[in-house]
Amino acid sequence: IDHHNHPGPGNLTAAAWSPDGQSFVTGSLHGNHKLCLWGIDGEPLFNWNVDYRVQDCAISPNGKRMVVISSECQIVVYNYETREEEYSILLKNKMTCVNISQDSQHMLINMANSEIQLIKIDNAEIVKRYMGQQQGEFVIRSTFGGADQNLILSGSEGIPNHRFLFY
């Protein structure tokens, strides 16, 4: 097993594999490599010089987009192929994690205020908001599920062994 040491101060807050399995992206709250693309040999391939702190990131299964959420309540969508920023939006509440659907059309954003938002990646339109699960001390990572990925699955704090299934 090869080990990769992240340069600079701070710990990693996010990591995402490229669909081809030949590289990965890491995110951090501090340092010069807050958002960096690495080869599987551990060498940096590209460094996005961002001024925000990376909370989480995800690369679309088709390899065309990367979604990054910051601790400053910002969603940033990049064209993963050209490495250019496509757009960013500022939300009112802190986000904890992001997931992208298998068809690469939607992002699922978990919010610290116990809300999940389903958002179209192409235009940042909020498709649906899901409420009910609780998130406090721990990060709850919701995901897509079902044969057509038309279900949202989520855990919850506060109620032991409680799961949510949204449709």
Side-chain angles (χ1 to χ4, degrees):
I1 297 175
D2 285 335
H3 288 72
H4 173 71
N5 292 322
H6 187 264
N11 296 322
L12 292 179
T13 54
W17 279 101
S18 293
D20 64 7
Q22 298 302 305
S23 59
F24 59 96
V25 172
T26 58
S28 175
L29 299 176
H30 305 287
N32 295 331
H33 291 86
K34 289 183 194 168
L35 189 60
C36 189
L37 175 66
W38 304 88
I40 56 173
D41 60 359
E43 293 297 317
L45 302 175
F46 187 82
N47 186 37
W48 288 268
N49 292 316
V50 299
D51 60 355
Y52 54 82
R53 298 161 38 116
V54 177
Q55 181 74 28
D56 197 14
C57 65
I59 301 168
S60 63
N62 66 8
K64 294 187 183 298
R65 298 243 177 71
M66 179 174 65
V67 177
V68 180
I69 59 171
S70 77
S71 59
E72 295 85 8
C73 303
Q74 183 180 18
I75 298 174
V76 185
V77 175
Y78 291 92
N79 179 315
Y80 189 67
E81 296 170 327
T82 66
R83 315 287 186 242
E84 297 292 321
E85 180 179 321
E86 289 189 3
Y87 67 86
S88 69
I89 55 174
L90 196 60
L91 299 181
K92 293 179 183 176
N93 295 303
K94 183 178 184 242
M95 298 163 283
T96 58
C97 60
V98 59
N99 196 343
I100 298 178
S101 62
Q102 283 299 312
D103 66 4
S104 301
Q105 299 299 309
H106 296 91
M107 61 179 118
L108 196 60
I109 305 289
N110 276 57
M111 311 293 285
N113 67 344
S114 298
E115 177 181 336
I116 303 168
Q117 292 186 8
L118 178 66
I119 302 173
K120 286 186 180 179
I121 295 177
D122 281 341
N123 60 13
E125 174 190 342
I126 297 174
V127 176
K128 196 162 188 178
R129 297 174 196 263
Y130 302 95
M131 304 292 281
Q133 81 290 352
Q134 295 177 0
Q135 180 173 262
E137 183 179 351
F138 303 103
V139 173
I140 305 296
R141 293 192 176 270
S142 301
T143 189
F144 294 91
D148 295 324
Q149 290 212 316
N150 55 358
L151 303 173
I152 305 300
L153 309 168
S154 182
S156 183
E157 286 185 56
I159 306 170
N161 301 318
H162 203 82
R163 314 292 184 283
F164 282 83
L165 175 65
F166 300 103
Y167 55 93

